[in-house]
Amino acid sequence: MTPTTDDHCLPRGAFSAGSRRTRLASLMTRLTLRPMTNLLPTSRGGIEFSRRLVATSMNLFGPVLEGTRVDLVAEGPVRGEWVRAPGLTPGSRVILYIHGSAYVICSARTHRGLTSRLSSATGLPVFTVDYRLAPEHPFPAAADDLEAAYRWLLSQGYDAANIVIAGDSAGGHLAADLIIENDRTGTPQPGAMVLFSPLIDLDFELSARMERTRKDPMISAKAARGLVALYTDGHDANLPRLRLDLALVRNFPPSLIQVGGAEMLRGDARHLHSMIEAGGGRSELEIWPDQMHVFQALPRLIPEAADALEHAAEFIEHVLETTVVQQESKEQLSR
């Protein structure tokens, strides 16, 4: 499939350019953060500094909603936290969230602001898996932890059709890997998938191609590749769980992909979207003009962050309600 242009993937009701605040934030990030991230070493000291920097930024520009309930979970190999928006009542549906940042930097805690707003927008509880990070825990630790968390939710009584997989950045690669593993093992697939700025190409060849036309405000493809290499840790890049192929996946869940028009991972987003559609699945791709990587996590900085989450919430509600109607129709026909 020929890659589409940004204009053909605009979110519903979007303008042809980001807001003035968005464009200013992108400029300031490119002038201040990008030079720093490109120079930070991948030594233990450099990684610890990166983790503190990102945690501080996420809390500053995307704080947790007041009144959010957080419950930590540590059951066998499953580590994570339940995040429930204020006033949320229990139900049969749930979001399983997979945070990103190159398998190295973030955690369930750094993403608590984003997951609290996602819970509020959807009215659903969010379980964020706190997978083990590289370089302390290289491949396939993160993928194994996600798989354990998904199966744990199934064992808790959640029907697969009522589980929504959501994630950002490296969480997108982990989500796609989970879908492939579910297909291989005959495990029921989730009801829907929503990804923000998904990373798919761990060699960052697609990102390098995007950078030739527009530099990412946050980091270069070369620097990002160095971080991800701490996870892949010398494994063959062609391993099936690293170079993902979705062509043979059956019953791929309906998916929404959101990506920023200013970031290098827009190439990955297009590639994932194309793979899903080529395999007969349903995918919606939204390229938000002038937005940075995972802009949904930065509402104090990016005005469009709330709109993007609302789009995601609408998609989730529509897909899950459609599934209910389809199931009821099947039951009526079988009587």
Side-chain angles (χ1 to χ4, degrees):
M1 177 178 291
T2 303
T4 55
T5 64
D6 289 7
D7 290 342
H8 292 163
C9 299
L10 294 175
R12 299 180 301 278
F15 294 102
S16 59
S19 64
R20 187 169 181 270
R21 277 178 57 191
T22 288
R23 286 179 279 123
L24 179 60
S26 179
L27 173 62
M28 295 306 298
T29 300
R30 187 170 69 250
L31 294 176
T32 58
L33 182 62
R34 181 183 165 99
M36 186 185 306
T37 56
N38 287 343
L39 292 175
L40 280 173
T42 54
S43 62
R44 181 169 297 277
I47 291 168
E48 287 302 322
F49 178 81
S50 296
R51 288 173 178 172
R52 290 194 296 270
L53 175 65
V54 172
T56 300
S57 299
M58 294 282 278
N59 185 59
L60 179 63
F61 297 116
V64 180
L65 288 180
E66 187 176 350
T68 297
R69 177 179 173 182
V70 178
D71 296 298
L72 303 182
V73 172
E75 295 188 18
V78 179
R79 297 289 186 276
E81 60 182 40
W82 284 108
V83 177
R84 298 178 176 89
L88 189 66
T89 55
S92 61
R93 298 170 176 173
V94 64
I95 296 173
L96 173 59
Y97 196 88
I98 319 157
H99 71 78
S101 281
Y103 305 94
V104 173
I105 294 172
C106 285
S107 67
R109 183 179 181 84
T110 62
H111 278 60
R112 197 175 289 170
L114 175 56
T115 53
S116 70
R117 290 187 296 279
L118 184 59
S119 176
S120 178
T122 60
L124 301 177
V126 178
F127 180 75
T128 311
V129 57
D130 214 1
Y131 59 82
R132 290 168 291 171
L133 298 176
E136 297 90 343
H137 303 283
F139 171 81
D144 289 346
D145 291 351
L146 172 59
E147 190 173 357
Y150 182 72
R151 281 151 181 71
W152 176 75
L153 286 177
L154 293 176
S155 73
Q156 297 295 303
Y158 288 101
D159 187 276
N162 287 329
I163 299 176
V164 177
I165 299 294
D168 65 88
S169 195
H173 189 277
L174 290 171
D177 175 67
L178 175 66
I179 299 301
I180 293 172
E181 285 300 294
N182 285 346
D183 184 74
R184 184 183 67 81
T185 60
T187 304
Q189 296 286 16
M193 185 168 71
V194 173
L195 300 177
F196 308 133
S197 305
L199 168 65
I200 296 298
D201 173 22
L202 300 189
D203 287 332
F204 286 84
E205 293 176 358
L206 292 173
S207 294
R209 196 177 305 162
M210 293 297 101
E211 285 242 284
R212 295 190 191 110
T213 59
R214 187 173 188 174
K215 288 185 177 180
D216 190 292
M218 291 188 174
I219 193 170
S220 69
K222 180 180 179 181
R225 185 188 304 118
L227 285 173
V228 170
L230 297 175
Y231 177 65
T232 57
D233 192 33
H235 288 280
D236 185 350
N238 291 314
L239 283 177
R241 298 194 73 179
L242 295 179
R243 192 177 299 281
L244 305 179
D245 184 0
L246 303 172
L248 300 179
V249 173
R250 297 156 292 183
N251 301 319
F252 205 100
S255 302
L256 171 67
I257 303 168
Q258 293 182 343
V259 68
E263 63 171 305
M264 62 185 175
L265 290 188
R266 64 191 186 277
D268 290 57
R270 289 195 186 107
H271 180 56
L272 176 59
H273 171 69
S274 297
M275 280 199 294
I276 294 172
E277 289 200 327
R282 170 190 166 193
S283 174
E284 295 184 18
L285 173 62
E286 295 181 350
I287 300 179
W288 288 70
D290 297 321
Q291 297 299 337
M292 296 183 290
H293 187 58
V294 197
F295 65 95
Q296 298 87 346
L298 309 171
R300 282 184 172 174
L301 193 64
I302 307 296
E304 296 90 339
D307 292 336
L309 282 185
E310 285 299 327
H311 278 217
E314 291 169 5
F315 175 85
I316 290 170
E317 181 179 11
H318 174 71
V319 169
L320 295 184
E321 288 301 321
T322 300
T323 300
V324 170
V325 172
Q326 291 174 343
Q327 289 176 340
E328 290 177 347
S329 298
K330 288 181 181 179
E331 290 174 359
Q332 290 176 354
L333 290 173
S334 64
R335 291 172 184 170

